[in-house]
Amino acid sequence: MQSMSSAWLLPEHIADVLPAQARRIEELRRQWLDLARSYGFELVIPPMLEHLESLLSGTGHELDLKTFKLVDQLSGRTLGLRPDATPQVARIDAHLLNREGVTRLCYCGPVLHTRPAGLHATREPLQLGIEIFGHAGLEADLEVLELTVEGLASSGVGNLTLDLGHARMVRSVLGGLMLDVQALTDLVAALTAKDGSAVRAMTRGCTAESRDALLVLLDLYGGDEVLIQARQRLPARGPIAQALDDLAWLAGHVRQACPGVRIGFDLSDMSGYAYYSGVRFAAYGAGSPNPLARGGRYDEVGAVFGRNRPAVGASLDLKGLSGVVAAARPRPAIRAPWGEDAALRAAIRRLRAVGETVVCILPGHESETQEFECDRELRAVDGQWVLCAL
């Protein structure tokens, strides 16, 4: 039996969110959803759990390992607690909305992971995402990129860096390799980690052209010179040239719209190989070694729902974001005594009605502090309740 002294302990990498951080997270949530609405995105709220096969559609083995599973006591079927909301939003687009043309959807809610992504990571991120369905052109990719950059900048993230890559280019290089699923997974992981010795060992039996192209990819990360070097050193294949054109077009437009953003390229990064089908990106900020947001094109995400149409989007963890942006100043508030006087209670109601925060000091708690910084006080002056500076 669990001792009473440990009854308050939470599972590893699961934590309560206390007032100051909770307020900051909520402010970020409202800010991002309002920004998405200004772009024309509609809000949806997918459920926390659903049938496992729907939850993991088109996401690969990696997401399966992250998913908590349980048996539905009503149907006997296996359910999953969502580790990522994107497949759910694809299901909503395919079946519940089933619109023709472009659909823009956004969402925000907790997801659960069986294991943390890093040493100090939470297993319960608060995922916010934006998705555009129904447009295959780069215009949709650019809209997602611009919204992500604008959201991070307005959240207080400084020294923004966008790291761009393209799944189609690497898939073109890998396309001629006769590898089983596990070998391909291991090779993709080695490419992403830039492990040259592992790539050489895994491609000993491949053609010289494919092996050399993969080794070249390991060196193709940095600034604009990467795109020039890629055109010179990679095989002259149509998909590779088109991918490089896509990256150059997007980088040019993002720089025009967001001149303060630094843009880099990493052509061997295949994070989410089984997921992305086109341009992929990661956004970083000052002092953050891990991406603050990820996104890209994943046109196959809706295939299992019978509606394989273009899709591009991005997502981020608001809990993680709240930890890297500057803490907000305590919210100004008004201090008021507690009392039964009708005039006092009416004055408090009027102030709250116009958006003020009024903290009533309960009897016996006059010296206690809270997250609010009271800079004014309601005082009785000549029989009237007057707002005075502290």
Coordinates of all heavy atoms in Angstrom, one line a residue, residues 251-337:
A251 N 12.5 30.5 -48.7 CA 13.4 31.4 -48.0 C 13.4 32.8 -48.4 O 13.4 33.7 -47.6 CB 14.9 30.8 -48.1
G252 N 13.3 33.0 -49.7 CA 13.2 34.4 -50.2 C 12.0 35.1 -49.7 O 12.0 36.3 -49.3
H253 N 10.8 34.5 -49.7 CA 9.6 35.1 -49.3 C 9.6 35.3 -47.8 O 9.1 36.4 -47.3 CB 8.4 34.3 -49.7 CG 8.0 34.6 -51.1 ND1 7.2 35.6 -51.5 CD2 8.3 33.9 -52.3 CE1 7.1 35.6 -52.8 NE2 7.7 34.6 -53.3
V254 N 10.1 34.4 -47.0 CA 10.1 34.6 -45.5 C 11.0 35.7 -45.2 O 10.7 36.6 -44.3 CB 10.6 33.3 -44.8 CG1 10.9 33.5 -43.4 CG2 9.6 32.2 -45.0
R255 N 12.2 35.9 -45.9 CA 13.1 37.0 -45.6 C 12.4 38.3 -45.9 O 12.6 39.3 -45.2 CB 14.4 36.8 -46.4 CG 15.3 35.7 -45.9 CD 16.7 35.8 -46.6 NE 17.6 34.8 -46.0 CZ 18.0 33.8 -46.7 NH1 17.7 33.6 -47.9 NH2 18.9 32.9 -46.1
Q256 N 11.6 38.3 -47.0 CA 11.0 39.6 -47.3 C 9.9 40.0 -46.3 O 9.8 41.1 -45.9 CB 10.3 39.4 -48.7 CG 9.7 40.6 -49.3 CD 9.1 40.4 -50.7 OE1 8.5 39.3 -50.9 NE2 9.2 41.4 -51.6
A257 N 9.2 39.0 -45.8 CA 8.1 39.3 -44.8 C 8.7 39.4 -43.4 O 8.1 40.2 -42.6 CB 7.1 38.1 -44.8
C258 N 9.7 38.7 -43.1 CA 10.3 38.7 -41.7 C 11.8 38.9 -41.8 O 12.6 37.9 -41.6 CB 10.0 37.4 -41.0 SG 8.3 36.8 -41.2
P259 N 12.3 40.1 -42.1 CA 13.7 40.3 -42.4 C 14.6 40.0 -41.2 O 15.8 39.8 -41.4 CB 13.8 41.8 -42.7 CG 12.5 42.4 -42.2 CD 11.5 41.4 -42.2
G260 N 14.1 40.0 -40.0 CA 15.0 39.7 -38.8 C 15.2 38.3 -38.5 O 16.0 37.9 -37.6
V261 N 14.6 37.4 -39.3 CA 14.7 35.9 -39.1 C 15.9 35.4 -39.8 O 16.1 35.7 -41.0 CB 13.4 35.2 -39.5 CG1 13.6 33.7 -39.3 CG2 12.3 35.7 -38.7
R262 N 16.7 34.6 -39.1 CA 17.9 33.9 -39.8 C 17.4 32.6 -40.4 O 16.7 31.9 -39.7 CB 19.0 33.7 -38.8 CG 20.2 33.0 -39.3 CD 21.3 32.8 -38.2 NE 22.4 32.0 -38.7 CZ 22.5 30.7 -38.7 NH1 21.5 30.0 -38.2 NH2 23.5 30.1 -39.2
I263 N 17.8 32.3 -41.6 CA 17.3 31.1 -42.3 C 18.5 30.2 -42.6 O 19.5 30.7 -43.2 CB 16.5 31.4 -43.5 CG1 15.3 32.2 -43.2 CG2 16.2 30.1 -44.3 CD1 14.4 32.6 -44.4
G264 N 18.5 29.0 -42.2 CA 19.5 28.0 -42.5 C 18.9 26.8 -43.2 O 17.6 26.6 -43.2
F265 N 19.7 25.9 -43.7 CA 19.3 24.7 -44.4 C 20.0 23.5 -43.8 O 21.2 23.6 -43.5 CB 19.5 24.8 -45.9 CG 18.9 26.0 -46.5 CD1 19.6 27.2 -46.6 CD2 17.6 26.0 -47.0 CE1 19.0 28.3 -47.1 CE2 17.0 27.1 -47.5 CZ 17.7 28.3 -47.6
D266 N 19.3 22.4 -43.6 CA 19.9 21.1 -43.2 C 19.3 20.1 -44.1 O 18.2 19.6 -43.8 CB 19.6 20.9 -41.7 CG 20.4 19.7 -41.2 OD1 20.9 18.9 -42.0 OD2 20.5 19.5 -40.0
L267 N 20.0 19.7 -45.1 CA 19.4 18.8 -46.1 C 19.5 17.3 -45.8 O 18.9 16.5 -46.4 CB 20.1 19.0 -47.5 CG 20.0 20.4 -48.0 CD1 20.5 20.5 -49.5 CD2 18.6 21.0 -47.9
S268 N 20.2 17.0 -44.7 CA 20.2 15.6 -44.3 C 19.3 15.3 -43.1 O 19.1 14.1 -42.7 CB 21.6 15.1 -43.9 OG 22.1 15.8 -42.7
D269 N 18.7 16.3 -42.5 CA 17.8 16.1 -41.3 C 16.5 15.5 -41.8 O 15.8 16.1 -42.5 CB 17.6 17.5 -40.6 CG 16.7 17.3 -39.4 OD1 16.4 16.2 -39.0 OD2 16.4 18.3 -38.7
M270 N 16.3 14.3 -41.3 CA 15.1 13.6 -41.7 C 14.2 13.3 -40.5 O 13.6 12.2 -40.5 CB 15.5 12.3 -42.5 CG 15.9 12.5 -43.9 SD 14.7 13.3 -44.9 CE 13.4 12.1 -44.9
S271 N 14.2 14.2 -39.6 CA 13.3 14.0 -38.4 C 11.8 13.9 -38.9 O 11.4 14.7 -39.7 CB 13.4 15.3 -37.5 OG 14.7 15.5 -37.1
G272 N 11.2 12.8 -38.5 CA 9.8 12.6 -39.0 C 9.7 12.1 -40.5 O 8.8 12.4 -41.2
Y273 N 10.8 11.3 -40.9 CA 10.8 10.8 -42.2 C 9.5 10.1 -42.7 O 9.1 10.3 -43.8 CB 12.0 9.8 -42.3 CG 12.1 9.1 -43.7 CD1 12.5 9.7 -44.8 CD2 11.6 7.7 -43.8 CE1 12.6 9.0 -46.0 CE2 11.6 7.1 -45.0 CZ 12.1 7.7 -46.1 OH 12.2 7.0 -47.3
A274 N 9.0 9.3 -41.8 CA 7.8 8.6 -42.2 C 6.5 9.5 -42.3 O 5.5 9.0 -42.7 CB 7.5 7.5 -41.2
Y275 N 6.7 10.7 -41.9 CA 5.5 11.6 -41.7 C 5.5 12.7 -42.8 O 4.5 12.9 -43.5 CB 5.7 12.3 -40.4 CG 4.5 13.0 -39.8 CD1 3.3 12.3 -39.7 CD2 4.6 14.3 -39.4 CE1 2.2 13.0 -39.2 CE2 3.5 15.0 -38.9 CZ 2.3 14.3 -38.8 OH 1.2 15.0 -38.3
Y276 N 6.7 13.4 -43.0 CA 6.7 14.5 -43.9 C 6.9 14.1 -45.4 O 7.6 13.1 -45.7 CB 7.9 15.5 -43.5 CG 7.7 16.2 -42.2 CD1 8.5 15.9 -41.1 CD2 6.6 17.1 -42.1 CE1 8.3 16.6 -39.9 CE2 6.4 17.8 -40.9 CZ 7.2 17.5 -39.8 OH 7.0 18.1 -38.6
S277 N 6.3 14.8 -46.3 CA 6.3 14.5 -47.7 C 6.9 15.6 -48.5 O 7.1 15.4 -49.7 CB 4.9 14.2 -48.2 OG 4.1 15.3 -48.0
G278 N 7.2 16.7 -47.9 CA 7.7 17.9 -48.7 C 8.6 18.7 -47.8 O 9.4 18.2 -47.0
V279 N 8.5 20.0 -47.9 CA 9.3 20.9 -47.0 C 9.0 20.7 -45.6 O 7.8 20.4 -45.2 CB 8.9 22.4 -47.4 CG1 9.6 23.4 -46.4 CG2 9.3 22.7 -48.8
R280 N 10.0 20.7 -44.8 CA 9.9 20.6 -43.3 C 10.7 21.6 -42.7 O 11.7 22.1 -43.3 CB 10.3 19.2 -42.8 CG 11.6 18.7 -43.3 CD 12.4 18.0 -42.2 NE 12.8 18.9 -41.1 CZ 13.9 19.7 -41.2 NH1 14.7 19.7 -42.2 NH2 14.2 20.5 -40.2
F281 N 10.3 22.1 -41.5 CA 11.1 23.2 -40.8 C 11.1 23.0 -39.3 O 10.2 22.4 -38.8 CB 10.6 24.6 -41.2 CG 9.2 24.9 -40.7 CD1 9.1 25.5 -39.4 CD2 8.1 24.6 -41.4 CE1 7.8 25.8 -38.9 CE2 6.8 24.9 -40.9 CZ 6.7 25.5 -39.6
A282 N 12.1 23.6 -38.7 CA 12.2 23.7 -37.3 C 12.5 25.1 -36.9 O 13.4 25.8 -37.6 CB 13.2 22.7 -36.7
A283 N 11.9 25.7 -35.9 CA 12.2 27.1 -35.5 C 12.8 27.1 -34.1 O 12.4 26.4 -33.2 CB 10.8 27.9 -35.4
Y284 N 13.9 27.9 -34.0 CA 14.7 28.0 -32.8 C 14.7 29.4 -32.3 O 14.6 30.4 -33.1 CB 16.1 27.5 -33.0 CG 16.3 26.1 -33.4 CD1 16.1 25.7 -34.7 CD2 16.6 25.1 -32.5 CE1 16.2 24.3 -35.1 CE2 16.8 23.8 -32.8 CZ 16.6 23.4 -34.2 OH 16.7 22.1 -34.5
G285 N 15.0 29.6 -31.0 CA 15.1 31.0 -30.5 C 16.4 31.1 -29.7 O 17.1 30.1 -29.5
A286 N 16.7 32.3 -29.2 CA 17.9 32.5 -28.4 C 17.9 31.6 -27.2 O 16.9 31.6 -26.4 CB 18.0 34.0 -28.1
G287 N 19.0 30.9 -26.9 CA 19.1 30.1 -25.7 C 18.3 28.9 -25.7 O 18.2 28.2 -24.7
S288 N 17.7 28.5 -26.8 CA 16.9 27.2 -26.9 C 17.6 26.2 -27.8 O 17.6 26.4 -29.0 CB 15.5 27.5 -27.4 OG 14.8 26.3 -27.5
P289 N 18.3 25.2 -27.3 CA 18.9 24.2 -28.1 C 17.9 23.3 -28.9 O 18.3 22.7 -29.9 CB 19.7 23.4 -27.1 CG 19.0 23.5 -25.8 CD 18.4 24.9 -25.8
N290 N 16.7 23.2 -28.4 CA 15.7 22.4 -29.0 C 14.7 23.2 -29.8 O 14.5 24.4 -29.4 CB 15.0 21.5 -28.0 CG 15.9 20.6 -27.2 OD1 16.7 19.9 -27.8 ND2 15.8 20.6 -25.9
P291 N 14.1 22.7 -30.8 CA 13.1 23.5 -31.6 C 12.0 23.9 -30.8 O 11.5 23.2 -29.9 CB 12.7 22.5 -32.7 CG 13.7 21.5 -32.8 CD 14.3 21.3 -31.4
L292 N 11.5 25.2 -31.0 CA 10.3 25.7 -30.3 C 9.1 25.3 -31.1 O 8.0 25.3 -30.5 CB 10.4 27.2 -30.1 CG 11.6 27.7 -29.3 CD1 11.6 29.2 -29.2 CD2 11.5 27.1 -27.8
A293 N 9.2 25.1 -32.4 CA 8.1 24.7 -33.2 C 8.6 23.9 -34.4 O 9.8 24.1 -34.8 CB 7.4 26.0 -33.8
R294 N 7.8 23.0 -34.8 CA 8.2 22.1 -36.0 C 7.0 22.1 -36.9 O 5.8 22.2 -36.5 CB 8.5 20.7 -35.6 CG 9.8 20.5 -34.9 CD 10.1 19.0 -34.8 NE 11.4 18.7 -34.2 CZ 12.6 18.7 -34.8 NH1 12.6 18.9 -36.1 NH2 13.7 18.4 -34.2
G295 N 7.3 21.9 -38.2 CA 6.2 21.8 -39.2 C 6.6 21.4 -40.5 O 7.8 21.1 -40.7
G296 N 5.7 21.4 -41.4 CA 6.0 21.0 -42.8 C 4.8 20.4 -43.5 O 3.7 20.5 -43.1
R297 N 5.1 19.8 -44.7 CA 4.1 19.2 -45.5 C 4.0 17.7 -45.3 O 5.0 17.0 -45.2 CB 4.3 19.5 -47.0 CG 3.3 19.0 -47.9 CD 3.4 19.6 -49.3 NE 2.9 21.0 -49.3 CZ 1.6 21.4 -49.3 NH1 0.6 20.5 -49.4 NH2 1.3 22.7 -49.3
Y298 N 2.7 17.2 -45.1 CA 2.5 15.8 -44.9 C 1.2 15.4 -45.6 O 0.2 15.2 -45.0 CB 2.4 15.5 -43.4 CG 2.0 16.6 -42.5 CD1 0.6 16.9 -42.3 CD2 2.9 17.3 -41.7 CE1 0.2 17.9 -41.5 CE2 2.5 18.3 -40.9 CZ 1.2 18.6 -40.8 OH 0.8 19.7 -40.0
D299 N 1.4 15.3 -46.9 CA 0.2 15.1 -47.8 C -0.5 13.7 -47.6 O -1.6 13.6 -48.0 CB 0.6 15.2 -49.2 CG 0.9 16.7 -49.6 OD1 0.5 17.6 -48.9 OD2 1.6 16.9 -50.6
E300 N 0.2 12.7 -47.0 CA -0.4 11.4 -46.8 C -1.1 11.2 -45.5 O -1.7 10.2 -45.3 CB 0.7 10.3 -46.9 CG 1.3 10.1 -48.3 CD 2.5 11.0 -48.6 OE1 3.0 11.7 -47.6 OE2 2.9 11.1 -49.8
V301 N -1.2 12.3 -44.7 CA -1.7 12.1 -43.4 C -3.2 11.7 -43.4 O -3.7 11.0 -42.5 CB -1.6 13.4 -42.5 CG1 -2.4 14.5 -43.0 CG2 -1.8 13.1 -41.0
G302 N -4.0 12.1 -44.4 CA -5.4 11.7 -44.5 C -5.7 10.5 -45.3 O -6.9 10.2 -45.4
A303 N -4.7 9.8 -45.8 CA -5.0 8.7 -46.7 C -5.8 7.6 -46.0 O -6.7 7.0 -46.6 CB -3.6 8.1 -47.2
V304 N -5.5 7.3 -44.8 CA -6.2 6.2 -44.1 C -7.7 6.5 -43.9 O -8.5 5.6 -43.7 CB -5.6 5.9 -42.7 CG1 -5.9 6.9 -41.7 CG2 -6.0 4.5 -42.2
F305 N -8.0 7.8 -44.0 CA -9.4 8.2 -43.8 C -10.1 8.3 -45.2 O -11.3 8.8 -45.2 CB -9.5 9.6 -43.1 CG -8.8 9.6 -41.7 CD1 -7.7 10.4 -41.5 CD2 -9.3 8.8 -40.7 CE1 -7.1 10.4 -40.3 CE2 -8.6 8.7 -39.5 CZ -7.5 9.5 -39.3
G306 N -9.5 7.9 -46.2 CA -10.1 7.9 -47.5 C -10.1 9.2 -48.2 O -10.8 9.4 -49.2
R307 N -9.2 10.1 -47.7 CA -9.2 11.5 -48.4 C -7.8 12.0 -48.4 O -7.4 12.8 -47.5 CB -10.1 12.4 -47.6 CG -10.5 13.7 -48.5 CD -11.7 14.4 -48.0 NE -12.2 15.3 -49.0 CZ -12.4 16.6 -48.7 NH1 -12.2 17.1 -47.5 NH2 -12.8 17.4 -49.6
N308 N -7.0 11.5 -49.3 CA -5.6 11.8 -49.3 C -5.4 13.1 -50.1 O -5.1 13.1 -51.2 CB -4.8 10.7 -50.0 CG -3.3 10.8 -49.8 OD1 -2.9 11.6 -49.0 ND2 -2.6 10.0 -50.6
R309 N -5.5 14.2 -49.4 CA -5.4 15.5 -50.0 C -4.3 16.3 -49.4 O -3.8 16.0 -48.3 CB -6.7 16.3 -50.0 CG -7.2 16.8 -48.7 CD -8.6 17.3 -48.9 NE -9.1 18.2 -47.8 CZ -9.5 19.4 -48.0 NH1 -9.6 19.9 -49.3 NH2 -10.0 20.1 -47.0
P310 N -3.8 17.4 -50.1 CA -2.6 18.1 -49.6 C -2.9 18.6 -48.1 O -4.0 19.0 -47.8 CB -2.5 19.3 -50.6 CG -3.2 18.8 -51.8 CD -4.3 17.9 -51.3
A311 N -1.8 18.6 -47.4 CA -1.8 19.1 -46.0 C -0.5 19.6 -45.6 O 0.6 19.1 -45.9 CB -2.2 18.0 -45.0
V312 N -0.5 20.8 -44.9 CA 0.7 21.4 -44.3 C 0.4 22.0 -43.0 O -0.7 22.5 -42.9 CB 1.3 22.4 -45.3 CG1 0.4 23.5 -45.7 CG2 2.6 22.9 -44.8
G313 N 1.3 22.0 -42.1 CA 1.0 22.6 -40.8 C 2.2 22.7 -39.9 O 3.3 22.4 -40.3
A314 N 2.0 23.1 -38.6 CA 3.0 23.3 -37.7 C 2.4 23.1 -36.3 O 1.2 23.3 -36.1 CB 3.7 24.7 -37.8
S315 N 3.3 22.7 -35.3 CA 2.8 22.6 -33.9 C 3.9 23.0 -33.0 O 5.1 23.0 -33.4 CB 2.4 21.2 -33.7 OG 3.4 20.3 -33.8
L316 N 3.6 23.3 -31.8 CA 4.5 23.6 -30.7 C 3.9 23.3 -29.4 O 2.7 23.1 -29.2 CB 4.9 25.1 -30.8 CG 3.8 26.1 -30.5 CD1 4.3 27.4 -29.9 CD2 3.1 26.5 -31.8
D317 N 4.8 23.2 -28.4 CA 4.4 23.0 -27.0 C 4.4 24.3 -26.2 O 5.4 24.9 -26.0 CB 5.3 22.0 -26.3 CG 5.1 21.8 -24.8 OD1 3.9 22.1 -24.4 OD2 6.0 21.4 -24.1
L318 N 3.2 24.7 -25.8 CA 3.1 26.0 -25.1 C 3.8 26.0 -23.7 O 4.2 27.0 -23.2 CB 1.6 26.4 -25.0 CG 0.9 26.9 -26.2 CD1 -0.5 27.3 -25.9 CD2 1.7 28.0 -27.0
K319 N 3.8 24.8 -23.1 CA 4.5 24.7 -21.8 C 6.0 25.0 -22.0 O 6.6 25.7 -21.3 CB 4.3 23.3 -21.2 CG 2.9 23.1 -20.6 CD 2.9 21.7 -19.9 CE 1.6 21.4 -19.3 NZ 1.5 20.0 -18.7
G320 N 6.5 24.3 -23.0 CA 8.0 24.5 -23.3 C 8.2 26.0 -23.7 O 9.2 26.6 -23.3
L321 N 7.4 26.6 -24.5 CA 7.5 27.9 -25.0 C 7.5 28.9 -23.8 O 8.3 29.8 -23.7 CB 6.5 28.3 -26.0 CG 6.5 29.7 -26.6 CD1 7.8 30.0 -27.3 CD2 5.3 30.0 -27.5
S322 N 6.6 28.6 -22.8 CA 6.5 29.5 -21.7 C 7.8 29.5 -20.8 O 8.1 30.5 -20.1 CB 5.3 29.1 -20.8 OG 5.6 27.9 -20.1
G323 N 8.6 28.4 -20.9 CA 9.8 28.4 -20.1 C 11.0 29.1 -20.7 O 12.0 29.3 -20.1
V324 N 10.9 29.5 -22.0 CA 12.0 30.1 -22.7 C 11.8 31.6 -22.9 O 12.7 32.3 -23.2 CB 12.4 29.4 -24.0 CG1 12.8 28.0 -23.7 CG2 11.3 29.5 -25.0
V325 N 10.6 32.1 -22.9 CA 10.3 33.5 -23.1 C 10.4 34.2 -21.8 O 10.2 33.6 -20.7 CB 8.9 33.7 -23.8 CG1 8.9 33.1 -25.2 CG2 7.8 33.2 -22.9
A326 N 10.6 35.5 -21.9 CA 10.8 36.3 -20.6 C 9.5 36.3 -19.8 O 8.4 36.3 -20.4 CB 11.1 37.7 -21.0
A327 N 9.6 36.1 -18.5 CA 8.5 36.1 -17.7 C 7.7 37.4 -17.7 O 8.4 38.5 -17.7 CB 8.9 35.8 -16.2
A328 N 6.4 37.4 -17.8 CA 5.6 38.6 -17.8 C 5.7 39.3 -16.4 O 5.8 38.6 -15.4 CB 4.2 38.2 -18.2
R329 N 5.6 40.6 -16.4 CA 5.5 41.3 -15.2 C 4.2 40.9 -14.5 O 3.2 40.6 -15.1 CB 5.5 42.8 -15.4 CG 6.8 43.4 -15.9 CD 6.8 44.9 -16.1 NE 6.3 45.5 -14.9 CZ 7.1 45.9 -13.9 NH1 8.4 45.6 -13.9 NH2 6.6 46.5 -12.8
P330 N 4.2 41.0 -13.1 CA 3.0 40.7 -12.4 C 1.9 41.6 -12.9 O 2.1 42.8 -13.2 CB 3.4 41.0 -10.9 CG 4.9 40.8 -10.9 CD 5.4 41.3 -12.2
R331 N 0.7 41.0 -13.0 CA -0.4 41.8 -13.5 C -0.9 42.9 -12.6 O -1.2 42.6 -11.4 CB -1.6 40.8 -13.8 CG -2.7 41.5 -14.5 CD -3.8 40.4 -14.9 NE -4.9 41.0 -15.5 CZ -5.9 40.3 -16.0 NH1 -5.9 38.9 -15.9 NH2 -7.0 40.8 -16.5
P332 N -1.0 44.1 -13.0 CA -1.4 45.2 -12.1 C -2.8 44.9 -11.6 O -3.7 44.4 -12.4 CB -1.4 46.4 -13.0 CG -0.4 46.1 -14.1 CD -0.6 44.7 -14.3
A333 N -3.1 45.3 -10.4 CA -4.4 45.0 -9.8 C -4.8 46.0 -8.8 O -3.9 46.9 -8.4 CB -4.4 43.6 -9.1
I334 N -6.0 46.0 -8.3 CA -6.5 46.9 -7.3 C -6.7 46.1 -6.0 O -7.4 45.0 -6.1 CB -7.8 47.6 -7.8 CG1 -7.5 48.4 -9.1 CG2 -8.4 48.4 -6.7 CD1 -8.8 48.8 -9.8
R335 N -6.3 46.6 -5.0 CA -6.5 46.0 -3.6 C -7.7 46.7 -3.0 O -7.9 47.9 -3.1 CB -5.3 46.3 -2.8 CG -5.3 45.8 -1.3 CD -4.1 46.4 -0.6 NE -4.1 46.1 0.8 CZ -3.5 45.1 1.4 NH1 -2.7 44.3 0.7 NH2 -3.6 45.0 2.7
A336 N -8.6 45.8 -2.5 CA -9.8 46.3 -1.9 C -10.1 45.6 -0.5 O -9.8 44.4 -0.5 CB -11.0 46.1 -2.8
P337 N -10.6 46.3 0.4 CA -10.9 45.6 1.7 C -12.2 44.7 1.5 O -13.0 45.0 0.6 CB -11.2 46.7 2.7 CG -11.6 47.8 1.8 CD -10.9 47.7 0.5

